[in-house]
Amino acid sequence: MAVYFVFKINHFFVKKICSKSLKKWKKNDELTRQLSDKEVIADTERYKRIAKERATISELVETYRAYSKVLSNIEGNRHIIKHETDNQLVELAKHELEELETQKEQFEKKLKILLLPKDPNDEKNIILEIRAGTGGEEAALFAAELFRMYSRYAERKGWKTEVLDHNPTGLGGFKEIIALISGDKVFSDLKYESGVHRVQRVPQTEASGRIHTSACTVVVMPEADEIDIKIDEKDLRVDVFRASGPGGQGVNRTDSAVRLTHIPTGLVVQCQDERSQHKNKARALKILRSRLLDLENQKQIEKRTAARREMVKTGDRSEKIRTYNYPQNRMTDHRIGYSSHNLSEILDGDIGDVIEALRTHYQAEALSKTNYNDL
């Protein structure tokens, strides 16, 4: 009875997966048809929107096609085993059936993940903000190392990194650095990086050789455009001032630095890296839009249930998420208990393994909390 019950449940899951996947398949075909429509082709924005929507479901459709082929082959092999009289052919079919059953399980697991509700921001670029916390100059140096780590990871992924604003220190660190990282599914990869990053090591400025603990905060926000967040000019206070610099010929002698204050929320953004006041204002607006979108996302997270917040773990900016321990050459992510003893490679941008471990962890939690009736 127990075996039969499990089979019935699995059969129910498969029916749900197939039903949902078929709907996506039909949607994919409809979007493909629209992309060849002359009216759609003539409307650039509409074409981009449809092409982007189609791209988000194409992986699911291709996976379901492969899954359907495996199901068909399983039925074919079972027919051979049941009706064929050639013993050699039957043995071959049995061996192949074992491999097909393994593939079937793998495809079902992947389809369940692909059918999970999508984060609407996964396709977006990000605004990355890194700020030195406790630890003074040592924390500022660590902020520079974290920025280099993410920049090198972006290089490996073929993404583009553009510094929007930064506040350097005399020893080569950053009190704060803000950058735009653009490319394919950047937020999907880096959305779990927000939180407190802690470093344990002997600082360059420490004469006695004692190990110190310093920290930086990292915030990853989806880049917001004007469609996502509209800012009314009357809600802004714009202040211009002379940018600070290293002195000498590099000093900007005009009031090119811009400070924006969003009156309804009290958010303040300033940019001074560009010599043009217009360019600094444009950069500040880009950062402000992303902060406003992030603020709205945080409000939505707070509205969710406690269980959902525990699963997502993106609402608490003060959470200590990771420790970089130099004496032990170890990096530990405290959320999932992941440790790696190749710290130098990680700080050189080799963070793909921990990102994949985080994604797998949160996908597993999402699957465990998913009601398959809603698939």
Side-chain angles (χ1 to χ4, degrees):
M1 175 66 79
V3 174
Y4 173 75
F5 180 65
V6 170
F7 172 79
K8 290 292 287 184
I9 291 177
N10 288 337
H11 181 64
F12 175 73
F13 288 171
V14 169
K15 285 182 67 177
K16 285 291 183 181
I17 289 171
C18 289
S19 174
K20 192 78 173 182
S21 299
L22 279 170
K23 289 179 182 177
K24 293 290 185 180
W25 193 335
K26 291 177 182 177
K27 180 67 174 179
N28 183 73
D29 289 344
E30 172 60 22
L31 293 172
T32 302
R33 186 194 64 75
Q34 289 182 31
L35 288 175
S36 61
D37 188 289
K38 292 181 179 179
E39 290 185 8
V40 173
I41 295 173
D43 187 338
T44 305
E45 289 303 315
R46 186 182 175 192
Y47 185 88
K48 286 181 180 179
R49 179 174 53 78
I50 293 173
K52 186 175 181 179
E53 185 181 356
R54 182 178 178 273
T56 60
I57 63 174
S58 60
E59 184 181 5
L60 188 146
V61 170
E62 291 305 315
T63 302
Y64 181 67
R65 282 178 177 149
Y67 175 66
S68 299
K69 185 176 180 180
V70 167
L71 291 181
S72 177
N73 289 339
I74 286 175
E75 286 303 310
N77 281 42
R78 284 175 176 168
H79 181 82
I80 290 172
I81 293 168
K82 186 175 182 179
H83 299 286
E84 182 61 52
T85 56
D86 186 330
N87 291 336
Q88 188 175 358
L89 188 59
V90 169
E91 286 303 314
L92 187 64
K94 286 180 178 179
H95 178 72
E96 186 175 310
L97 183 61
E98 291 179 6
E99 295 179 353
L100 289 169
E101 290 288 357
T102 300
Q103 291 178 29
K104 174 176 171 286
E105 290 178 8
Q106 292 171 345
F107 277 127
E108 285 176 4
K109 183 178 179 180
K110 186 175 181 180
L111 283 168
K112 287 177 184 178
I113 292 172
L114 291 172
L115 287 168
L116 288 172
K118 300 293 183 185
D119 186 331
N121 295 314
D122 273 352
E123 303 289 327
K124 290 182 179 291
N125 302 326
I126 67 163
I127 300 292
L128 172 69
E129 298 187 353
I130 303 175
R131 292 182 179 83
T134 55
E137 186 65 48
E138 170 65 8
L141 290 169
F142 182 48
E145 291 178 81
L146 285 176
F147 177 67
R148 181 179 181 275
M149 179 182 78
Y150 291 120
S151 298
R152 293 301 299 271
Y153 180 69
E155 287 178 18
R156 293 167 184 252
K157 299 286 287 187
W159 299 337
K160 178 183 176 183
T161 302
E162 176 189 359
V163 175
L164 300 178
D165 196 42
H166 71 297
N167 187 356
T169 64
L171 295 181
F174 293 116
K175 293 180 181 177
E176 176 186 62
I177 184 164
I178 303 172
L180 168 67
I181 302 181
S182 53
D184 182 38
K185 298 182 178 179
V186 183
F187 186 76
S188 175
D189 256 25
L190 297 180
K191 62 184 176 181
Y192 299 119
E193 294 301 297
S194 292
V196 176
H197 293 238
R198 186 177 69 167
V199 62
Q200 294 174 327
R201 64 183 175 186
V202 178
Q204 297 176 13
T205 54
E206 175 59 54
S208 65
R210 290 184 299 116
I211 295 174
H212 283 225
T213 298
S214 304
C216 292
T217 58
V218 174
V219 176
V220 174
M221 301 177 293
E223 181 192 19
D225 52 34
E226 293 185 27
I227 297 175
D228 296 315
I229 298 291
K230 293 187 182 296
I231 300 176
D232 197 323
E233 283 289 333
K234 68 179 175 50
D235 289 333
L236 288 178
R237 185 172 72 244
V238 182
D239 299 307
V240 295
F241 56 97
R242 188 162 299 178
S244 60
Q249 294 180 347
V251 169
N252 194 337
R253 302 183 184 279
T254 63
D255 291 338
S256 61
V258 175
R259 181 186 299 112
L260 299 181
T261 303
H262 187 247
I263 298 169
T265 61
L267 289 175
V268 179
V269 178
Q270 69 179 43
C271 282
Q272 62 175 22
D273 277 21
E274 295 287 347
R275 292 180 176 272
S276 160
Q277 184 183 121
H278 175 74
K279 289 182 178 178
N280 278 326
K281 183 179 179 182
R283 285 186 165 191
L285 278 170
K286 185 185 290 288
I287 296 169
L288 180 60
R289 284 195 193 95
S290 294
R291 287 186 181 173
L292 288 170
L293 178 60
D294 185 60
L295 188 64
E296 183 60 33
N297 288 339
Q298 297 306 312
K299 288 179 181 177
Q300 292 301 317
I301 289 173
E302 290 303 316
K303 289 179 181 179
R304 295 172 184 168
T305 64
R308 177 62 178 163
R309 286 202 306 273
E310 177 66 20
M311 181 181 72
V312 178
K313 289 275 190 180
T314 57
D316 188 359
R317 299 300 193 202
S318 65
E319 181 190 10
K320 180 187 73 177
I321 65 168
R322 199 171 291 161
T323 295
Y324 305 76
N325 186 298
Y326 274 67
Q328 298 178 17
N329 192 35
R330 171 176 52 80
M331 184 280 292
T332 299
D333 193 290
H334 303 289
R335 295 165 294 181
I336 58 175
Y338 176 95
S339 288
S340 176
H341 289 272
N342 61 333
L343 185 58
S344 57
E345 289 87 350
I346 286 171
L347 290 170
D348 194 41
D350 188 10
I351 57 175
D353 286 347
V354 66
I355 286 174
E356 186 57 34
L358 284 163
R359 180 185 289 114
T360 301
H361 171 81
Y362 288 117
Q363 283 177 346
E365 285 203 345
L367 284 170
S368 70
K369 292 176 171 65
T370 297
N371 182 351
Y372 286 96
N373 285 311
D374 297 330
L375 270 179

